[in-house]
Amino acid sequence: MKGWITVPRRGIQISGALVLSAGLIAGCSQSTDKTANSSASPGTAQESAKPKEPLKLSMMNMYYSAEPPKADNEAVKIIEGYTGTKLDITWVPNSAYNDKINATIAAGELPQIMMIASNKSQGIVNAVQSGMFWEIGPYLKDYPNLSKLNPMVLGNIAVDGKVYGIFRSRPVAREGIILRKDWLTAVGLSEPKTIDDFYNVIKAFSTKDPDKNGKDDTFGMYEGRGMNGFQTILGWYGGPNLYGIQDGKVVPDFMTKEYVDALKLYKRMYDEKLINQDFAVVPGTKRQEAINQGKAGLIISTLDDVNAGFNDLTKANPNAILDVLSRITGPKGERLMLFNGGYVGVYMFPKTSVKTEQELKGILAFMDKLADKKIQNLFEWGVEGKHYKVENGMPARTDGKAYETDINSVYQLRYDDGGLVDIGEDAPIVKKYKQMFKDNSTIAVANPAESFQSATLAEKGSEITKIIQDARVKFIMGTIDEAGWNQAVEQWRKSGGDKVIEEYTAQYSKQKK
């Protein structure tokens, strides 16, 4: 389209290596310490300087495991010992987390450290602007780890240009394809390099009996109601990351030709029954189940999910082989969307429970030590002798199940970018996606409106977003055509969308000056 500008993240200097762990779940990675590393073990001068009485800290955080972490969780005990703290952590299931945050704020009984998952929700932004949370930007320079936080991501979490929290770092280009490599071999294809190749693989997985059971019972790709793969495919076509700049204005992705191109590919796959026909109603968790049950050949997901949700696949089919791919060449070359602004959730510090600057500095010192090499390695590898062993001077996983129970269950505590983690003897597929995380940072496309706020979107966001979400599904299913899609976009604009564009564009123009 005329005047269209993409915003690639080339040349960004990321603090440390973007190497996150093998066992990330739900958008999180897992890592731990090569605890035997003498340079970071307890008993150093740094340890001996700790106060005799541990610093008591209260925190709220989420968990993704079936049960909340145990009170005597080994990783938490190690963290407490290393940081000289006693942690009182309220663990909340991820499905109820935002509701719990809202209820806690309403009740006024806030912990000292709050992991805010939806930090850009209007309620949180209003709370920040009302003075509920400490502004910590001016303090970050005083701490060795906090001072190295990625400036780009700090800008993404800012409110009115000020930093009110510590972001939980995630790889900036984390999405890709998880697929059955053995099915590729069965249908006589190699890994896809272009959008046409991608379509051909999905078609072959659907029509060429890749599992050789003589039945027409497989889908090329499995999709859920959140349409997890759509943004990645939009990136392949050259579209923007949620918002882009067109003729000097900030416009949403669905007002671009590239978005319609991605819609047409989905419609083609739906019409030809290459994707599951109930995609609009099934939860996203069913995608991994479909792979495990041999119903589908690939999904588009966070690449590190390959280690989190596919244990049942090899149990049912020992010959199954999974692989990961990330780069597909489209009209504008290789592009991936910058994942969630480079972070997932933000640690924030309420003034009602952190009453003085001295208390804040003590908490920031704890947070800083939470990113030390010892603790990064703890999250990445676990405890030596229990979760890993050292071979040829490198950690190697020995008990994945124990790691998942002891370490992965509390992984949401982690905020570092993995830059200090010891390189270990990972499985080949883990090494592969870790390298992809590093390499793909150069092709990550940013959302230029990431740090902007819109009063109109806060007021009418659910209402007008639903217009587009419903129209997208209707287009794919064929109940509306391209003219109907354009009508939906116009409805969005008249229902408040034009005001959103105006508000975002004003902030973009001010930022450029």
Side-chain angles (χ1 to χ4, degrees):
M1 295 183 69
K2 181 181 177 181
W4 181 251
I5 302 174
T6 58
V7 189
R9 295 307 314 176
R10 297 185 184 275
I12 294 174
Q13 296 299 313
I14 305 298
S15 171
L18 285 170
V19 180
L20 291 185
S21 86
L24 297 124
I25 56 176
C28 313
S29 97
Q30 313 160 351
S31 347
T32 320
D33 162 51
K34 178 180 174 183
T35 310
N37 186 338
S38 59
S39 66
S41 23
T44 61
Q46 196 173 26
E47 289 271 321
S48 62
K50 292 178 185 174
K52 293 181 180 179
E53 290 296 321
L55 176 65
K56 295 181 179 179
L57 296 177
S58 58
M59 175 190 292
M60 180 178 291
N61 214 320
M62 67 168 61
Y63 68 91
Y64 283 84
S65 49
E67 300 291 336
K70 295 180 180 179
D72 61 349
N73 180 275
E74 185 170 11
V76 174
K77 294 298 181 186
I78 292 172
I79 290 170
E80 288 177 329
Y82 181 72
T83 59
T85 57
K86 178 62 178 176
L87 301 177
D88 177 13
I89 305 174
T90 299
W91 293 103
V92 181
N94 69 298
S95 58
Y97 196 75
N98 286 332
D99 289 341
K100 180 66 174 178
I101 286 290
N102 293 335
T104 302
I105 290 176
E109 299 176 358
L110 309 181
Q112 294 160 292
I113 305 171
M114 297 184 72
M115 199 289 287
I116 305 294
S118 300
N119 59 299
K120 286 305 177 73
S121 69
Q122 193 60 40
I124 296 299
V125 171
N126 289 343
V128 167
Q129 292 173 332
S130 71
M132 179 177 287
F133 296 99
W134 282 90
E135 179 195 354
I136 66 166
Y139 299 95
L140 298 179
K141 68 181 185 303
D142 299 327
Y143 301 89
N145 294 317
L146 298 180
S147 63
K148 297 173 185 175
L149 291 173
N150 187 336
M152 180 269 292
V153 184
L154 286 174
N156 286 344
I157 70 169
V159 176
D160 299 329
K162 297 179 180 180
V163 175
Y164 292 86
I166 298 170
F167 61 84
R168 300 193 308 167
S169 182
R170 294 297 181 265
V172 297
R174 193 178 177 190
E175 301 279 304
I177 300 168
I178 299 175
L179 85 169
R180 290 282 299 270
K181 187 175 183 178
D182 54 313
W183 280 18
L184 268 183
T185 301
V187 298
L189 293 176
S190 55
E191 65 180 49
K193 301 293 186 183
T194 67
I195 298 174
D196 286 343
D197 291 344
F198 174 76
Y199 165 80
N200 290 332
V201 166
I202 287 179
K203 185 171 184 178
F205 282 176
S206 299
T207 62
K208 293 190 175 181
D209 192 21
D211 56 1
K212 305 305 178 185
N213 68 353
K215 300 177 182 178
D216 182 14
D217 59 355
T218 58
F219 291 107
M221 181 171 80
Y222 213 85
E223 189 59 282
R225 61 189 174 215
M227 294 185 63
N228 303 70
F230 190 87
Q231 285 297 112
T232 297
I233 291 177
L234 174 59
W236 297 345
Y237 276 106
N241 188 352
L242 299 181
Y243 290 88
I245 309 303
Q246 184 178 356
D247 298 331
K249 292 183 178 181
V250 178
V251 297
D253 53 7
F254 53 81
M255 288 179 62
T256 68
K257 174 185 179 299
E258 293 85 357
Y259 196 98
V260 176
D261 290 339
L263 278 177
K264 288 178 178 178
L265 177 61
Y266 262 82
K267 176 172 171 51
R268 182 181 183 185
M269 293 189 297
Y270 178 83
D271 288 346
E272 297 177 11
K273 295 183 171 54
L274 308 184
I275 62 174
N276 52 305
Q277 302 293 281
D278 60 352
F279 77 92
V281 295
V282 299
T285 53
K286 293 291 184 182
R287 298 179 309 130
Q288 288 184 349
E289 289 182 22
I291 297 290
N292 284 335
Q293 296 167 2
K295 294 180 180 179
L298 68 80
I299 60 173
I300 294 176
S301 184
T302 53
L303 294 179
D304 37 287
D305 279 349
V306 74
N307 275 338
F310 298 99
N311 292 327
D312 290 341
L313 173 62
T314 51
K315 290 178 184 177
N317 184 352
N319 296 320
I321 303 172
L322 286 180
D323 200 3
V324 290
L325 312 171
S326 63
R327 294 191 176 217
I328 297 291
T329 301
K332 298 180 182 178
E334 295 177 332
R335 302 166 82 257
L336 287 169
M337 299 304 194
L338 193 149
F339 182 77
N340 280 357
Y343 71 100
V344 177
V346 175
Y347 282 113
M348 300 176 70
F349 313 99
K351 291 182 177 179
T352 55
S353 48
V354 183
K355 298 183 182 299
T356 67
E357 183 182 46
Q358 184 178 358
E359 288 181 52
L360 176 66
K361 289 181 176 180
I363 292 171
L364 292 178
F366 160 74
M367 297 298 298
D368 189 72
K369 287 181 71 65
L370 201 59
D372 278 356
K373 179 181 178 70
K374 177 182 176 67
I375 304 303
Q376 288 196 28
N377 273 322
L378 175 67
F379 283 122
E380 188 71 29
W381 294 108
V383 178
E384 185 179 3
K386 183 174 184 180
H387 308 113
Y388 76 96
K389 62 182 178 180
V390 177
E391 292 181 343
N392 301 319
M394 295 188 294
R397 178 84 63 233
T398 56
D399 192 335
K401 183 64 175 177
Y403 173 82
E404 184 175 337
T405 300
D406 300 335
I407 310 298
N408 194 52
S409 61
V410 298
Y411 193 82
Q412 302 306 309
L413 292 172
R414 188 180 191 187
Y415 75 86
D416 66 86
D417 69 358
L420 301 179
V421 163
D422 287 315
I423 297 174
E425 291 290 347
D426 284 321
I429 197 169
V430 176
K431 290 182 179 179
K432 186 175 183 178
Y433 75 64
K434 283 183 176 182
Q435 190 62 45
M436 288 176 175
F437 287 162
K438 293 173 66 177
D439 296 342
N440 291 343
S441 64
T442 62
I443 62 169
V445 178
N447 172 9
E450 183 74 39
S451 63
F452 298 162
Q453 283 84 45
S454 164
T456 304
L457 200 59
E459 177 187 354
K460 300 181 177 181
S462 298
E463 171 192 341
I464 64 176
T465 299
K466 191 174 186 300
I467 295 171
I468 299 301
Q469 289 175 338
D470 290 349
R472 182 168 69 172
V473 171
K474 290 177 181 178
F475 184 91
I476 292 168
M477 290 185 168
T479 56
I480 63 172
D481 56 12
E482 193 166 348
W485 168 257
N486 291 332
Q487 289 174 3
V489 172
E490 284 302 310
Q491 183 185 355
W492 178 87
R493 296 183 62 178
K494 292 176 181 178
S495 301
D498 277 344
K499 188 66 175 177
V500 173
I501 291 173
E502 179 184 326
E503 291 166 349
Y504 276 173
T505 299
Q507 293 169 75
Y508 172 73
S509 300
K510 182 179 179 181
Q511 187 183 73
K512 284 188 64 180
K513 292 180 180 179

